[in-house]
């Protein structure tokens, strides 16, 4: 609802796509942090940088593929702001 309200785009493909992207993002973030900590040692920094770059490239590939799927996203007029706040308040209440 937040993206829908701000950008007038609904992308149902994002829900299943995040299942595949989440582990790749974990590897990218971990290797990026490892590069920050151990990048001063050239072989380790090079390997960690390559892993981070490869994961980000693959994530970009998946997002581009999801964007091209028919029905993966569509334009829609934004709902009223009260509906969006109600949606998130309801989600918080259910989670609590």
């Amino acid at each position: 609802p937040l993206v829908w309200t701000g950008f007038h785009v609904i992308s149902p493909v994002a829900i299943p796509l995040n299942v595949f992207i989440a582990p790749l993002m974990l590897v990218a973030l971990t290797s990026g942090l490892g590069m920050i900590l151990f990048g001063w040692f050239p072989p380790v920094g090079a390997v960690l940088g390559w892993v981070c770059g490869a994961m980000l490239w693959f994530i970009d590939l998946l997002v581009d593929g999801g964007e091209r799927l028919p029905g993966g996203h569509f334009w829609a007029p934004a709902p009223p702001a009260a509906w969006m706040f109600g949606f998130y308040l309801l989600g918080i209440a259910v989670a609590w």
Side-chain angles (χ1 to χ4, degrees), residues 32-92:
L33 177 62
M35 193 174 80
I36 290 171
L37 296 175
F38 304 109
W40 54 270
F41 188 58
V44 174
V47 170
L48 290 172
W50 182 86
V51 169
C52 183
M55 292 300 109
L56 293 176
W57 173 81
F58 195 59
I59 289 169
D60 189 46
L61 188 71
L62 287 173
V63 170
D64 284 345
E67 179 186 17
R68 290 188 176 100
L69 283 175
H73 70 285
F74 52 90
W75 298 90
W83 288 13
M84 182 191 64
F85 288 120
F87 173 80
Y88 285 111
L89 287 174
L90 181 65
I92 290 169

